[in-house]
Amino acid sequence: MTNQNVVVPDTKSGISLPMVRLSGSSIFPATAQKPPTAPGTGGGGCISLSAKKKLLLENLEINGGGGAAKINSWVDSMRASSPTHMKSSSQSLSEDQQLPWQHQQQITLPSALDNFDQIMEASRGKQIVMFLDYDGTLSPIVDDPDRAFMSKKMRTTVRRLATCFPTAIVSGRCRDKVYKFVRLAELYYAGSHGMDIKGPEKGSKYTKGTEPVICQPASEFLPMIDEVFKELVAKTKLTPGAKVENNKFCVSVHFRCVEEKKWSEVAEAVKSVLNKYPKLRLSQGRKVLEIRPTIKWDKGKALEFLLESLGFANCTDVFPVYIGDDRTDEDAFKVLKEREQGFGILVSKVAKDTNASYSLQEPTQVMDFLQRLVDWKKLAFQESRM
Ligand SMILES: O=P(O)(O)OC[C@H]1O[C@H](O[C@H]2O[C@H](CO)[C@@H](O)[C@H](O)[C@H]2O)[C@H](O)[C@@H](O)[C@@H]1O
């Protein structure tokens, strides 16, 4: 397999973006092209955009609970994770037209749709298990988190998918809320970034025992999270557009609809709460600051737990597929890479630093991919009966 760097114009923004073109038939992507000097530094000792972003995030995460970080660095980090702000202010880009985070180390992944046959070939003889993130994967990103509905067509497709393969929804949202959006009882649900897992009720095709699987590794944090939610609501009520969402084992503070000059108020509020609760930590998503317990549990752990619950703990003939769009999904992509099983699919229109192996551009492409999986399974079943 040879990797070739090609610069292609981004038709939307008119900016040249680096791509890695893959040749050969491997289903795995190229490794990221390293910059010529130490990672994160350009030839002239300048720190790259991406390295700067990483440092900002690390600073934010490390100092989030300790109180050392200045609010300015928080706002910088919020900007860095909202790449619409990376262009000159005269040109405003939508989230889907973002500049890549990191020119030197990014990979544009091969399309999961274009490489569908190769993917299926790799899964031959193995049990496919599907893991789907919700926001930005099954539903489009919208301003109001309470209105992030998935389309009827998507629901029908996911329903069909679940008749073919064990299927789980893995979301940062509270499990009940994501269930209300998806409304399919036959699925596994992992809410609160995997900290609240429940399997389908008994009688479902893939349940093993009589009781549904349940896992809540952060249950002791429930009262603390409730307290924090109330405090954050109070602290942000005077900031127009700020929205605090109680996700049961974590809290999301949205700034998508907050004017940029007021982002420091959101940062102040979150930082002051983290200073008070050292057992909580910060993570960042798409225009959202998320507060969660410091326990070592994430979407990757949830994926492993679910595979184990399904009886695939030490199996070599399982093929997990995880589809997600956010930074928190990287934990699951990483687990798959480390296990050398299945693959991750990143939903993104732009190149990103990722552990996923393939990409899809948006939820409509996710739907097409899921439908192709269903069709493939049906065909394979018919052929096996001939
Ligand atoms: O793991 P996910 O299912 O992707 O959940 C991550 C967060 O998604 C939601 O926020 C994001 O989507 C909103 C609706 O499109 C959007 O308004 C917001 O800016 C995004 O960050 C959800 O509201 C959060 O609670 C989840 O943690």
Side-chain angles (χ1 to χ4, degrees), residues 95 132-137 139-148 169-174 177-178 193 245 247 250-252 254-257 285-288 290 299 322 325-326 328-329:
E95 206 166 358
L132 307 169
D133 166 55
Y134 183 74
D135 289 279
T137 298
S139 69
I141 293 292
V142 292
D143 282 350
D144 182 356
D146 292 334
R147 302 195 61 76
I169 305 290
V170 186
S171 174
R173 288 189 187 253
C174 141
K177 201 165 185 179
V178 77
H193 292 297
E245 199 182 358
N247 283 328
C250 46
V251 177
S252 295
H254 295 274
F255 57 93
R256 181 171 295 279
C257 298
R286 297 175 73 167
K287 302 248 172 85
V288 67
E290 298 186 292
K299 288 180 170 184
Y322 188 105
D325 72 313
D326 215 344
T328 57
D329 298 311

Side-chain angles (χ1 to χ4, degrees), residues 54-64 68-70 73-74:
K54 263 191 189 145
L55 283 176
L56 288 167
L57 287 173
E58 276 159 20
N59 187 34
L60 198 86
E61 274 155 24
I62 291 162
N63 296 319
K70 297 249 171 14
S73 66
W74 279 63

Side-chain angles (χ1 to χ4, degrees), residues 31-224:
T31 46
Q33 189 201 357
K34 297 277 178 233
T37 55
T41 60
C46 291
I47 192 158
S48 77
L49 196 56
S50 139
K52 192 175 172 192
K53 180 173 179 241
K54 263 191 189 145
L55 283 176
L56 288 167
L57 287 173
E58 276 159 20
N59 187 34
L60 198 86
E61 274 155 24
I62 291 162
N63 296 319
K70 297 249 171 14
I71 283 304
N72 282 351
S73 66
W74 279 63
V75 174
D76 284 347
S77 173
M78 287 155 82
R79 269 196 211 105
S81 64
S82 310
T84 39
H85 297 272
M86 285 181 177
K87 275 210 86 200
S88 70
S89 53
S90 57
Q91 280 171 288
S92 154
L93 296 175
S94 76
E95 206 166 358
D96 283 341
Q97 294 170 306
Q98 296 159 4
L99 267 179
W101 285 348
Q102 178 177 23
H103 281 239
Q104 298 99 320
Q105 293 188 352
Q106 275 172 348
I107 318 160
T108 293
L109 299 171
S111 156
L113 279 169
D114 293 349
N115 292 277
F116 187 82
D117 295 340
Q118 281 173 323
I119 294 168
M120 290 302 101
E121 188 53 36
S123 77
R124 191 188 281 272
K126 297 179 181 174
Q127 170 66 58
I128 294 177
V129 182
M130 295 300 299
F131 296 90
L132 307 169
D133 166 55
Y134 183 74
D135 289 279
T137 298
L138 297 182
S139 69
I141 293 292
V142 292
D143 282 350
D144 182 356
D146 292 334
R147 302 195 61 76
F149 305 115
M150 66 194 264
S151 66
K152 267 190 182 169
K153 230 174 144 187
M154 181 68 98
R155 181 171 299 103
T156 306
T157 308
V158 176
R159 180 184 288 121
R160 287 183 188 141
L161 183 79
T163 62
C164 302
F165 314 104
T167 301
I169 305 290
V170 186
S171 174
R173 288 189 187 253
C174 141
R175 180 165 54 78
D176 289 348
K177 201 165 185 179
V178 77
Y179 181 81
K180 279 182 190 146
F181 280 129
V182 179
R183 285 187 279 118
L184 294 171
E186 55 272 50
L187 310 185
Y188 285 79
Y189 288 86
S192 308
H193 292 297
M195 289 180 281
D196 189 6
I197 303 179
K198 190 162 181 265
E201 295 298 328
K202 59 185 173 184
S204 157
K205 197 170 161 186
Y206 302 107
T207 39
K208 292 214 143 189
T210 48
E211 292 303 319
V213 178
I214 292 199
C215 170
Q216 293 186 330
S219 50
E220 68 185 274
F221 287 87
L222 212 51
M224 192 186 283

Side-chain angles (χ1 to χ4, degrees), residues 238-302:
L238 296 179
T239 306
K243 184 168 176 107
V244 186
E245 199 182 358
N246 188 340
N247 283 328
K248 193 166 179 176
F249 295 108
C250 46
V251 177
S252 295
V253 185
H254 295 274
F255 57 93
R256 181 171 295 279
C257 298
V258 176
E259 260 187 277
E260 193 176 332
K261 62 180 183 209
K262 300 254 177 196
W263 285 8
S264 56
E265 292 180 14
V266 176
E268 279 284 3
V270 173
K271 185 171 184 294
S272 66
V273 164
L274 281 175
N275 286 346
K276 211 172 131 190
Y277 296 90
K279 285 191 173 171
L280 299 179
R281 69 178 171 100
L282 181 84
S283 62
Q284 274 188 282
R286 297 175 73 167
K287 302 248 172 85
V288 67
L289 296 176
E290 298 186 292
I291 293 163
R292 54 204 277 185
T294 46
I295 61 164
K296 284 193 173 145
W297 196 271
D298 52 36
K299 288 180 170 184
K301 293 271 184 223

